[in-house]
Amino acid sequence: MWWLYALLSALFAALTAVLAKIGIKGVDSNLATAIRTVVILVLAWGIVYFRGGLEQFGSLTRTNWTFLILSGVATGLSWVFYFRALQLGEVSKVAPVDKLSVALAIVLSVVFLGEKLTWQGGLGAGLIILGTLVLIWQ
């Protein structure tokens, strides 16, 4: 079932790029990111509330907090740079470069999480990198 969620994530990420490109026209990219963040904040907390997730709030460990905060910082910086890139460049070029995160995540998962890199994973990461280069050098 994870793949269905991953496909939905990809679909909404694609919509994000197109909708953001339209929405940031004539707007400071940082302001656009802040507005987007407020919407996400309300949506995320609404989902937590309605699905009963608030009960787990007190059981978060120091490690949970530390890495969730670091992940939030990384996400925030990603969004700031993504929106600026969208403002300056074409979606058809910015989005593929942004998706290099897939290849980078594979490498980082091997280095920091000890996940095994199969030849298929290495080939896939290599093809993502190659595909990105093909798409941006149009």
Side-chain angles (χ1 to χ4, degrees), residues 42-107:
V42 170
L43 180 65
W45 279 106
I47 291 168
V48 168
Y49 176 78
F50 287 111
R51 298 213 49 200
L54 286 175
E55 299 164 359
Q56 295 179 8
F57 195 81
S59 65
L60 294 172
T61 67
R62 182 172 300 214
T63 301
N64 294 139
W65 278 106
T66 299
F67 284 94
L68 289 173
I69 289 168
L70 289 172
S71 174
V73 169
T75 298
L77 290 172
S78 172
W79 291 351
V80 166
F81 294 129
Y82 184 68
F83 265 52
R84 186 65 179 146
L86 279 176
Q87 196 167 49
L88 298 172
E90 299 174 21
V91 171
S92 62
K93 292 190 177 16
V94 172
V97 172
D98 178 63
K99 295 312 172 208
L100 280 175
S101 62
V102 174
L104 291 171
I106 291 169
V107 171

Side-chain angles (χ1 to χ4, degrees), residues 102-129:
V102 174
L104 291 171
I106 291 169
V107 171
L108 294 174
S109 73
V110 170
V111 172
F112 293 108
L113 302 176
E115 293 184 6
K116 288 190 171 201
L117 179 62
T118 63
W119 71 267
Q120 296 98 327
L123 177 63
L127 289 171
I128 289 168
I129 294 166

